[in-house]
Amino acid sequence: MRIARFTTGEEPQFGVVTGEVDEFGQPADDSVVVALAGDPLYVGIKLLEEQHRLADVRLLAPVLPRSKVVGIGRNYAAHAAEMDSDVPDEPLMFLKPNTSVVGPGDPIFYPRQTQELHFEGELALVIGRICRDVPPEQATDVIFGYTIGNDVTARDLQRSDVQFTRAKGFDSFCPLGPWIETDLDPHDFAEGRAVQTHLNGDLKQDGSTRDLIFDIPTLVAHVSSVMTLLPGDVILTGTPAGVGPMEVGDEVEVSIAGLGTLTNPVKAR
Ligand code: MG
């Protein structure tokens, strides 16, 4: 099931995106969004009569994390190598504030404090229930679903600041979407799902989730051994090789097979 959050110009609502999808998870032109009563993270899936053509609604970030977005650094060996870094011995965690989250089509704003704004296309997982100390074999029980994230990073500030708060934390530095797919599980990603980033139509990142150093159950176990996870919290699983700069006026697209495409323009702040 594909859970979206959308607006028709009125209050945001949640809905289920129906219809066929192609191999990259792109929906057919006649797809519809069936509205849901309330937030499915809290009240479950309650379908309403109300429907809209997908083409007639504006999609929003499919989840608004109540507490946190947890980033994982250097979780693909080829990306660690391009950063001249070693692969970490255990998952390298950082936080992005929930105020960095924006939705499909929303601008990524280029801050005046950086001269090196980078895209990082990533698989994101959405936590479905309050949990801590989750054993790896129970990770599936606490994952609501999967979406696409762009872990936007001010690379020069990441180098100069020692820690990542500013470099990863600006408003609009965490595009999420286009929806949450609830029917996949960690095995699907361990077998390999293409993660691709295009900048103005040019392929820049071409990775596979099979190359995750620490797999999804390991990440959930590791993060939840440190901090309680709440419904709607997001874990970004790390980016494959090929990160690079964006400029004002660019359009960045992150695609993951089965999850669709997350597209955002870059604008001046
Ligand atoms: Mg990243």
Side-chain angles (χ1 to χ4, degrees), residues 71-74 79 94 120-122 151-153 168 236-239:
I72 302 296
R74 289 187 247 139
H79 171 63
F94 58 90
E120 293 189 0
E122 306 197 6
D151 176 22
V152 177
T153 302
K168 303 255 189 196
L236 299 174
T237 58
T239 198

Side-chain angles (χ1 to χ4, degrees), residues 17 28 31 40-41 44 113 116 122-123 128 146 165 181 187 191 199 201 216 226 242 246 259 268:
V17 179
S31 293
L41 273 172
Q113 296 95 328
E116 199 177 1
E122 306 197 6
L123 170 66
Y146 301 86
T165 303
E181 174 58 73
H187 296 108
E191 286 177 1
L199 190 69
I216 291 165
V226 176
M246 302 181 285
L259 295 182

Side-chain angles (χ1 to χ4, degrees), residues 122-126 145-149 176 234-237 256 259:
E122 306 197 6
L123 170 66
L125 55 93
V126 181
Y146 301 86
T147 189
I148 301 169
L176 294 175
V234 170
I235 299 176
L236 299 174
T237 58
I256 298 182
L259 295 182

